[in-house]
């Protein structure tokens, strides 16, 4: 198959959805398919893809409607005989999906790593008329979309994220930087969705009772100054540290004692999967996909979103229990190896793409 991934995320944005696209592209390329990933010029996702050996091209989609861009993409699809196009954002479907309909032979799929579709007429129109299927990573998202009543039974396909479990990782030496301290790590865009304000509040609750915890966060975003202001207000300058954008978080995961996800909503949180793969215990909020990934009380703990007290209580309940931490980490790695490997994801994705392409060619 000739497969094109399109992701028009901002140049400096890079998260779990972008990592999924690159990993999926690389795995399909490894299986012998022709694969190209398209995004904005000089974007982080194109650089990340190039570093992984994935061929790239520049396609810039800036708005929901762009007749000139649609015509250009239609020509590209014809010239390159693209069989399947997998789109990231809703505007990618509207602009490139229309191009595919003009080109005539390309299967169009949307990849929704979180709830990107609401009961708006424009979502219904674009996803039912310009798209041949939706790939998601969570049964809860599939259930939500099924409830809209728009799609045929098998239109939304659940394919769990997969990751490559590294053979060796050199951990960040937190013991030198913070001797005698226990490291609680988190990562993600500094945006409202990621719930870092609640993690700060949880840190403040714990700091009132003890002084041996250091919170480290990898990420950048528009809320950075607001969050740093809140840290100063709560007196956490020495115990809540922002590391900035970190392209490879595995060394941080390897070096920490506990990983925490404080998000208000997610799809299937890749970063939790990565922490589990490195045998790290996890405390996570009860967001989409969390209960499909984490076994509460066995591989980690699940707490309500937007609840700093619950977050602090969960952290306190495990951080001083090395036996429980070890047990969570061991069980988590086994769960990832059984259900969330990149090879398993690639096999399921390849089979689904072949199925959709055969349906297209049969005129279904």
């Amino acid at each position: 198959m000739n497969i094109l991934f399109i992701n028009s995320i901002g140049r400096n944005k890079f998260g779990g959805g972008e990592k999924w696209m690159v990993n999926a592209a690389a795995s399909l390329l490894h299986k012998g398919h022709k694969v190209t990933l398209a995004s904005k010029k000089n974007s982080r996702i194109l650089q990340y893809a190039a570093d992984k050996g994935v061929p790239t091209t520049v396609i810039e989609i800036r708005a929901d409607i762009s007749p000139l861009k649609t015509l250009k993409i239609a020509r590209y699809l014809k010239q390159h005989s693209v069989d399947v196009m997998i789109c990231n954002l809703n505007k990618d479907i509207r602009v490139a999906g229309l191009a595919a309909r003009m080109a005539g032979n390309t299967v169009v799929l949307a990849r929704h790593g979180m709830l990107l579709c609401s009961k708006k007429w424009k979502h219904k129109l674009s996803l039912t008329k310009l798209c041949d299927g939706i790939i998601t990573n969570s049964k809860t998202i599939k259930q939500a979309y099924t409830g809209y009543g728009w799609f045929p039974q098998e239109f939304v396909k659940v394919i769990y994220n997969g990751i490559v479990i590294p053979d060796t990782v050199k951990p960040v030496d937190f013991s030198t930087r913070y001797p005698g301290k226990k490291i609680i790590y988190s990562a993600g865009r500094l945006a409202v969705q990621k719930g870092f304000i609640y993690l700060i509040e949880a840190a403040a609750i714990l700091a009132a009772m003890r002084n041996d915890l250091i919170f480290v966060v990898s990420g950048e975003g528009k809320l950075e100054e607001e969050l740093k202001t809140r840290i100063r207000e709560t007196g956490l300058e020495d115990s809540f540290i922002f590391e900035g954008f970190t392209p490879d978080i595995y060394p941080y995961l390897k070096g920490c004692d506990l990983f925490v996800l404080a998000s208000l909503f997610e799809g299937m949180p890749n970063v939790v999967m990565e922490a589990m793969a490195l045998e790290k215990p996890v405390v996570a909020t009860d967001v989409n996909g969390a209960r499909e990934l984490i076994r509460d009380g066995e591989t980690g703990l699940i707490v309500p979103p937007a609840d700093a007290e619950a977050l602090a209580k969960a952290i306190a309940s495990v951080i001083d229990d090395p036996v429980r931490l070890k047990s969570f980490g061991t069980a988590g790695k086994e769960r990832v190896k059984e259900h969330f490997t990149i090879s398993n994801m690639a096999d399921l994705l390849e089979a689904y793409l072949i199925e959709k392409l055969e349906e297209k060619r049969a005129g279904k």
Side-chain angles (χ1 to χ4, degrees), residues 182-202:
K182 297 174 181 179
I183 307 301
I184 297 162
Y185 180 64
S186 191
R189 287 180 296 107
L190 304 186
V192 172
Q193 173 204 343
K194 299 300 181 179
F196 286 119
I197 191 67
Y198 297 100
L199 186 58
I200 293 171
E201 298 304 321

Side-chain angles (χ1 to χ4, degrees), residues 16-125:
E18 287 64 56
K19 186 175 287 187
W20 179 90
M21 273 206 157
V22 175
N23 286 341
S27 63
L28 291 168
L29 188 69
H30 182 71
K31 282 178 165 288
H33 301 288
K34 183 177 180 181
V35 181
T36 306
L37 192 146
S39 189
K40 294 178 178 176
K41 186 177 181 181
N42 297 324
S43 59
R44 279 182 176 166
I45 186 174
L46 287 191
Q47 183 58 57
Y48 188 79
D51 291 344
K52 297 291 184 180
V54 176
T56 64
T57 191
V58 173
I59 295 179
E60 307 231 2
I61 298 176
R62 301 177 182 276
D64 279 350
I65 300 174
S66 179
L68 182 59
K69 185 64 64 177
T70 293
L71 289 171
K72 288 183 177 179
I73 295 173
R75 284 198 295 270
Y76 179 96
L77 297 175
K78 286 183 177 180
Q79 290 170 359
H80 294 270
S81 301
V82 174
D83 297 309
V84 179
M85 180 172 64
I86 302 175
C87 299
N88 181 47
L89 300 180
N90 287 321
K91 64 181 177 181
D92 299 337
I93 287 290
R94 294 185 188 111
V95 175
L98 179 58
R101 294 299 187 243
M102 294 170 62
N105 296 315
T106 302
V107 172
V108 181
L109 300 172
R111 199 274 171 169
H112 286 189
M114 62 180 63
L115 279 168
L116 295 178
C117 166
S118 62
K119 286 190 173 182
K120 293 181 179 179
W121 67 267
K122 65 178 183 178
H123 292 163
K124 180 178 181 180
L125 182 63

